[in-house]
């Protein structure tokens, strides 16, 4: 059974006797550490660890098209202040991994939306020129095949900033709903381009709209304004033969899970454990088998060595055996993690049998 087949079986509560061995990556600072501990410069991490990438993607660009022209406004040895290709003016640090400092936005309220809306339309230029060749190759893949399902809030948050986005959800609901409708229509167009040409295993969306105590948008507004977009995409995915719809969202997602499930999103990634101590097993007890989880391994245990890693794996083992759960560290691996600990963790996952 390939990793792809194994992943699909697990997510459908089918027949399986082991877990797939996936490796994401670490922060740039983590990789620098690993290079000093035996990871060759330029090495493919998955090959080095004898692990699989999480997925392979369908080559259709669903971002802003065309992008805004980048422009450097100020530069020092430590940072650049620049107009990014999403139109946002930001201070970007050169030598450390952190969120940029956002200074100004083209999109502050509905008046700036036309410039973005025209860049979120279907266009043949979004499709890779060699897509036929790529789709034929994807059909032979031994890892899951995913297609981007974009974001109903996260990219809007990036383009507007948190405060402007939050205000817009309350003060300009028609505008907010239009952004969701435009983005979800674009995703459905992309699905139509490949329907019947490749077996898509899961739609893969991104949000990152929660912090340590809850979401950046009120759950009621999320339900009213965003669920219709998710539901439209979920229905299109099912019409294309795909019934797994994943959303990648860090932070405390508890208040949004019921709305995602209601809309047809049934895989949560990465279920960050965080300071709020998220519990994948508690989520399964609350929502049943309709909720699948990809992630749910506290990344910080990898810093602590074999005993902590063993304990973390063992506490997730009952959920693994039940199905609908594939383990993965709950974000990029931290700089405090030795290379040998990652190797130990992956070997422990590789050795699991049911």
């Amino acid at each position: 059974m390939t990793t792809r087949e194994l992943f699909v079986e697990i997510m459908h509560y089918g027949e399986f006797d082991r877990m797939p061995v996936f490796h994401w990556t670490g922060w740039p600072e983590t990789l620098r550490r690993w290079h000093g501990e035996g990871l060759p410069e330029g090495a493919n991490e998955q090959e080095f660890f004898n692990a699989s990438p999480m997925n392979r993607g369908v080559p259709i660009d669903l971002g802003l098209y065309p992008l805004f022209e980048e422009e450097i406004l100020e530069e020092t040895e430590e940072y650049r202040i620049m107009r990014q290709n999403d139109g946002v003016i930001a201070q970007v640090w050169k030598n450390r991994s952190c969120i940029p400092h956002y200074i100004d936005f083209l999109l502050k309220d509905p008046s700036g939306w036309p410039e973005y809306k025209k860049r979120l339309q279907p266009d043949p230029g979004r499709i890779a020129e060699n897509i036929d060749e790529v789709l034929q190759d994807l059909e032979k893949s031994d890892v899951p095949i995913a297609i981007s399902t974009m974001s109903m809030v996260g990219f809007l948050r990036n383009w507007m900033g948190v405060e402007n986005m939050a205000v817009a959800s309350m003060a300009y609901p028609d505008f907010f709903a239009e952004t969701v409708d435009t983005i979800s229509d674009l995703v459905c167009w992309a699905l139509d381009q490949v329907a019947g040409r490749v077996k898509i295993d899961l739609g893969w969306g991104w949000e990152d709209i929660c912090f340590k105590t809850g979401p950046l948008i009120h759950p009621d507004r999320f339900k009213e304004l965003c669920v219709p977009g998710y539901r439209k995409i979920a229905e299109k995915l099912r019409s294309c033969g795909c019934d797994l719809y994943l959303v990648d969202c860090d932070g405390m997602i508890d208040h949004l899970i019921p709305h995602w499930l209601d809309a047809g999103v049934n895989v949560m990634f990465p279920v960050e454990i965080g300071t709020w101590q998220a519990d994948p097993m508690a989520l399964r007890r609350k929502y049943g088998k309709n909720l699948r989880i990809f992630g749910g391994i506290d990344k910080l245990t990898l810093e602590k060595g074999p005993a902590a890693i063993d304990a973390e794996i063992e506490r997730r083992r009952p959920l693994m055996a039940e199905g609908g759960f594939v383990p993965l560290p709950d974000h990029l691996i931290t700089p405090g993690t030795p290379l040998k600990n990652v190797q130990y963790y992956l070997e422990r996952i590789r050795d699991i049998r049911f």
Side-chain angles (χ1 to χ4, degrees), residues 7 122 138 168 194 211 217 226 247-248 254 267 313 315 325 348:
F7 179 87
L138 287 178
V194 298
F211 56 114
I217 180 173
C226 302
V247 161
D248 170 356
D254 300 45
V267 186
I313 290 173
R315 75 171 179 151
F325 175 82
R348 288 284 287 109

Side-chain angles (χ1 to χ4, degrees), residues 23-40:
H23 172 68
W24 193 353
T25 188
W27 292 100
E29 294 87 345
T30 313
L31 296 181
R32 286 197 289 271
R33 172 182 182 146
W34 293 350
H35 291 314
E37 295 176 343
L39 175 67

Side-chain angles (χ1 to χ4, degrees), residues 279-290:
D279 183 350
M281 182 61 81
L283 294 177
R284 172 60 54 78
R285 289 195 296 267
K286 184 172 183 177
Y287 295 107
K289 289 189 174 183
N290 190 37

Side-chain angles (χ1 to χ4, degrees), residues 37 70 80 84 171 221 258:
E37 295 176 343
E70 289 189 350
R80 293 186 185 94
Q84 300 179 146
R221 284 302 198 189

Side-chain angles (χ1 to χ4, degrees), residues 65-294:
Y65 185 86
L67 294 167
F68 291 92
E69 185 174 349
E70 289 189 350
E71 179 184 4
I72 296 177
L73 306 176
E74 179 186 332
E75 185 165 9
T76 72
E77 292 184 358
E78 295 182 353
Y79 63 82
R80 293 186 185 94
I81 294 178
M82 59 186 297
R83 172 85 67 184
Q84 300 179 146
N85 60 21
D86 61 1
V88 176
I89 295 179
Q91 182 182 35
V92 181
W93 302 99
K94 290 183 175 180
N95 302 309
R96 48 179 163 146
S97 298
C98 63
I99 297 171
H101 169 55
Y102 300 113
I103 298 171
D104 200 9
F105 304 90
L106 290 176
L107 182 59
K108 297 184 178 73
D109 56 41
S111 65
W113 171 236
E115 188 61 40
Y116 281 78
K117 184 175 182 178
K118 72 182 185 182
R119 298 170 190 266
L120 291 166
Q121 299 304 310
D123 190 294
R126 294 179 175 277
I127 304 172
E129 291 183 0
N130 65 338
I131 191 166
D132 291 329
E133 176 185 343
V134 173
L135 293 181
Q136 290 175 12
D137 184 51
L138 287 178
E139 278 291 4
K140 306 170 190 173
S141 176
D142 62 356
V143 298
I145 303 306
I147 190 166
S148 171
T149 52
M150 279 289 280
S151 158
M152 302 301 104
V153 183
F155 283 112
L156 189 65
R157 184 277 316 273
N158 285 359
W159 303 331
M160 299 187 75
V162 172
E163 184 176 347
N164 291 328
M165 180 277 294
V167 169
S169 71
M170 302 300 291
Y172 309 113
D174 291 343
F175 153 69
F176 204 105
E178 183 180 349
T179 69
V180 169
D181 199 43
T182 299
I183 292 169
S184 57
D185 281 347
L186 180 60
V187 172
C188 290
W189 168 82
L191 284 162
D192 283 337
Q193 306 314 299
V194 298
R197 301 170 63 190
V198 65
K199 176 65 176 73
I200 297 168
D201 298 312
L202 72 164
W204 191 295
W206 172 86
E207 289 294 359
D208 279 6
I209 53 170
C210 296
F211 56 114
K212 67 179 182 179
T213 60
L216 300 173
I217 180 173
H218 194 283
D220 291 345
R221 284 302 198 189
F222 184 82
K223 177 181 179 180
E224 175 189 350
L225 301 174
C226 302
V227 162
Y230 290 116
R231 185 171 288 131
K232 185 195 308 181
I233 293 169
E235 290 171 356
K236 178 64 75 170
L237 281 167
R238 286 194 295 270
S239 76
C240 295
C242 174
D243 62 357
L244 295 177
Y245 184 179
L246 175 151
V247 161
D248 170 356
C249 187
D250 299 335
M252 183 181 177
I253 61 176
D254 300 45
H255 300 292
L256 300 185
I257 289 175
H259 301 311
W260 273 318
L261 290 172
D262 180 57
V265 177
N266 54 8
V267 186
M268 299 295 135
F269 173 92
V271 186
E272 190 177 10
I273 307 306
T275 59
W276 55 97
Q277 291 298 297
D279 183 350
M281 182 61 81
L283 294 177
R284 172 60 54 78
R285 289 195 296 267
K286 184 172 183 177
Y287 295 107
K289 289 189 174 183
N290 190 37
L291 174 66
R292 284 88 164 174
I293 293 171
F294 187 11

